[in-house]
Structure formats: C-alpha cells, structure tokens
Amino acid sequence: MNLKLERPLVFIDLETTGLDSETHGIINICAKLYNSSREVVSVFNAWCNARDSEINLGALKVNRFTISDIRSFKSEIEVIIDFCDWLLSLKVNGELILGGHNISFDLGFIKSKLKKYGISGFDQVVSHRMLDTCSIGRFLVLTGILLPNTKVSLRDLAIVLGVEYDASKAHAAEYDVDLTAKVLFRMMDLTKGLINGKNQ
C-alpha cells in the first residue's frame, strides 16, 4: 500500500525565457493539487507571451517554444492573475504546501512577477515549508540510499528510481509536474520500505 500524503500538496513547474527572474519571463505555468491519496483534484496550466521580457534562444531550444509561439499566448499579467485566483479557489485548510524540482527557481520567478504587477501576500497563501525533490535527492545520495555518483536532475532521479521518463515530453511544465510528483512518491515509498525493513 502506498504511503499517503500528510496533507494536500501543490506541485508546480514553470518554463521561462531564461534563468534570470528579473529580466526573463514566464512562458508556461502548470500546477496541480494532489489530495492525501495522491490523486489530482485541481489543475492550473497556462501559457504567457512574456512580451516585455528578454528572451534567451537557448532556453527556448530546451523547452521547445519558438518566439512566434510565445507571442501568441495570453499576457503575463493575465496568467499571473489567473494563477493567483486558482490558488485562492483551492479548498485546503491552512496554507498550501508546494512541491517541485529545484522549486526555489520557480518560486523566484513567481515572486518576481507578483512584485512587478503589484500583488502581495503570496506567503500568506502558501507555506514557507516546501518539498523539493532536488534537495531530497541530494539527501538520499548523502545517506547512501542512492549511489554516490547519482545526479539529482529530475531526469536522472526518475531513471534511477525506476520512474518512466520520456525525453520527448520533458521540459514542458505539465509533464514535469507529473514527473516530479511520481519521483517524490517513489522517494516516499522507497524510504518507507527501508524503514519498515529495518524494523522487522
């Protein structure tokens, strides 16, 4: 039987026009609310045109967008407002706990754009407690649960943990949200199995 989540969890992932949250823009935001039984109960997925942001062609090559693609999307401020409204609509008692892979990157972008558009109070809606599969992966390497040379990219963690990985779908926000959730759940079950094995 799979270990249940202690409480609902929102997994989030962004695709961006580059790595600098101050100068680059958001192209795609995907977030999914999972209940304690690991079932998706609400989804947000939207694309931004990032019209006023710098564009790094290397970033677009990774996430497989063209400049023409992103110019056809909704404005960034519209998507940010829609995302905030989605967060506020979620029926969760207390603060929302966020999960992601290297989630500080995604939150850095979100907070930068909220500030840009004069929206405050994000930290009153989501918890400062986060679950980061990148950090958990490093912990599993340090403890010897994963081999010492294991890389902690989402791709490498998925492969070493036996989670199906499709390179042709990677670096799209929704696929990466789903993959991150599967990786975290596999980590939970792996550590539970090790603990139960030692307790027998």
Side-chain angles (χ1 to χ4, degrees):
M1 183 175 174
N2 289 335
L3 191 65
K4 287 196 170 187
L5 295 173
E6 181 183 354
R7 55 174 298 150
L9 179 63
V10 173
F11 285 92
I12 188 167
D13 188 75
L14 308 183
E15 299 302 324
T16 65
T17 64
L19 301 178
D20 187 333
S21 63
E22 297 297 322
T23 61
H24 294 119
I26 297 171
I27 303 173
N28 185 196
I29 303 177
C30 183
K32 295 190 178 187
L33 175 66
Y34 285 74
N35 65 18
S36 59
S37 298
R38 305 183 181 184
E39 300 165 327
V40 176
V41 292
S42 186
V43 177
F44 179 86
N45 196 19
W47 290 262
C48 311
N49 65 33
R51 188 169 295 279
D52 299 324
S53 304
E54 290 182 13
I55 295 173
N56 182 292
L57 294 179
L60 297 190
K61 184 175 181 180
V62 169
N63 53 42
R64 297 184 297 277
F65 286 103
T66 67
I67 295 174
S68 297
D69 287 337
I70 62 178
R71 289 295 184 250
S72 69
F73 300 147
K74 291 175 70 172
S75 71
E76 190 176 69
I77 187 170
E78 288 180 286
V79 173
I80 291 294
I81 290 170
D82 289 347
F83 176 64
C84 291
D85 286 346
W86 178 78
L87 287 175
L88 292 170
S89 76
L90 298 178
K91 307 301 181 189
V92 175
N93 292 326
E95 296 173 320
L96 293 167
I97 297 177
L98 301 182
H101 189 80
N102 194 18
I103 192 170
S104 60
F105 173 84
D106 302 285
L107 292 184
F109 262 87
I110 289 171
K111 290 180 178 181
S112 174
K113 303 314 171 188
L114 291 173
K115 182 179 179 181
K116 177 180 177 181
Y117 299 121
I119 302 171
S120 60
F122 184 72
D123 293 333
Q124 295 171 286
V125 176
V126 303
S127 174
H128 65 277
R129 299 176 183 88
M130 298 172 289
L131 290 172
D132 182 6
T133 50
C134 184
S135 296
I136 297 169
R138 288 193 182 99
F139 173 78
L140 295 178
V141 172
L142 285 172
T143 57
I145 294 173
L146 297 180
L147 293 174
N149 61 348
T150 301
K151 296 179 181 178
V152 293
S153 70
L154 185 56
R155 170 192 174 276
D156 289 305
L157 286 174
I159 291 170
V160 77
L161 291 167
V163 176
E164 183 179 351
Y165 177 80
D166 186 339
S168 69
K169 296 179 181 178
H171 302 293
E174 185 168 21
Y175 179 80
D176 285 357
V177 161
D178 293 338
L179 186 63
T180 302
K182 291 173 185 176
V183 165
L184 178 66
F185 299 154
R186 187 64 57 89
M187 289 171 163
M188 290 169 58
D189 295 336
L190 172 65
T191 52
K192 179 190 177 187
L194 291 171
I195 292 168
N196 287 346
K198 289 181 179 179
N199 289 340
Q200 291 176 353

